[in-house]
Amino acid sequence: MDKGCPTGQICTSMERIYVHRDIADEFVNALVDVAGTYTLGDGHDESTVLGPLVDRRQRDIVDRHVTDAVERGATVRTGGTVPEGRGFFYPATVLTGVDDSMLVMTEETFGPLAPVAVVSSFEEGLEKAAGTRFGLAATVYTNDPAHMAAAHGIPAGVVWVNQWQGGGPERLYEPAGDSGMGATGSRAAYDAATRPVSIHAVPAAPGG
């Protein structure tokens, strides 16, 4: 739900959040407070920070994932309801009490949705982060150097530590799992814009 992509419709938006139990309440309360400041609009109002989803189908996916989570025991802390009126809007939504039986934790939602799962250790968080068939990007926030090093083992195309969407034009990553195939960024961008040609030649025959 970041302001760089407030509707969560880019491939590297955060889909699942794992937070240590020692700071879970503080984290969730702060997240709910921020989510509550997001207003819906079409961009003509300067106060707009949350635009519409791309189409009705995508909004239906988001709403279905939220409904599935609630039916399985999750709690909506803010948002979670399709607003009335024109446009395919969906409010900034925070869910707690989520588990791995829910679509929000096993599928890609691509919406303004933050499902928060509580873990008892950093290692558990890493294990759960890696326990998915997707592997495009991951973000880890920690002040422990050992944890920073351990984060490098997450099977994802790009791993950010204490930042999100960091790096410059030299950033290169290749998705893992069901997130796709083929490297992107950096020198791979040139490969995408060119067509390689293989030429095989042998020496000409004498006198030819």
Side-chain angles (χ1 to χ4, degrees):
M1 296 186 299
D2 60 284
K3 293 186 178 181
C5 182
T7 52
Q9 295 180 105
I10 64 173
C11 296
T12 53
S13 289
M14 294 182 187
E15 294 278 351
R16 300 169 293 142
I17 299 174
Y18 298 103
V19 59
H20 195 282
R21 63 184 178 187
D22 288 351
I23 62 169
D25 289 342
E26 179 183 1
F27 176 88
V28 170
N29 289 338
L31 184 61
V32 170
D33 286 345
V34 171
T37 68
Y38 282 66
T39 57
L40 304 177
D42 57 10
H44 293 96
D45 186 336
E46 291 184 359
S47 67
T48 297
V49 295
L50 198 63
L53 294 167
V54 65
D55 56 24
R56 183 183 300 277
R57 176 180 176 276
Q58 185 56 39
R59 187 176 67 177
D60 287 346
I61 290 174
V62 175
D63 191 49
R64 177 166 58 87
H65 284 193
V66 172
T67 300
D68 171 79
V70 171
E71 290 177 347
R72 294 174 184 271
T75 299
V76 177
R77 300 295 298 270
T78 188
T81 303
V82 175
E84 296 181 356
R86 299 180 60 187
F88 305 119
F89 294 97
Y90 200 86
T93 300
V94 177
L95 295 175
T96 56
V98 296
D99 61 43
D100 294 338
S101 72
M102 303 172 184
L103 293 174
V104 293
M105 302 301 281
T106 59
E107 300 294 329
E108 293 180 319
T109 302
F110 288 116
L113 177 61
V116 182
V118 178
V119 295
S120 59
S121 67
F122 183 82
E123 291 73 21
E124 182 186 0
L126 282 187
E127 181 180 357
K128 287 185 173 294
T132 173
R133 58 191 177 89
F134 301 109
L136 185 59
T139 304
V140 175
Y141 291 93
T142 178
N143 292 322
D144 188 323
H147 291 171
M148 293 179 187
H152 299 171
I154 296 176
V158 57
V159 177
W160 291 293
V161 179
N162 295 331
Q163 61 179 323
W164 180 73
Q165 292 291 60
E170 75 283 354
R171 185 177 70 193
L172 172 68
Y173 63 93
E174 183 168 1
D178 288 352
S179 289
M181 298 177 61
T184 58
S186 187
R187 65 179 184 275
Y190 294 101
D191 296 336
T194 59
R195 183 175 63 86
V197 177
S198 296
I199 299 176
H200 303 273
V202 297

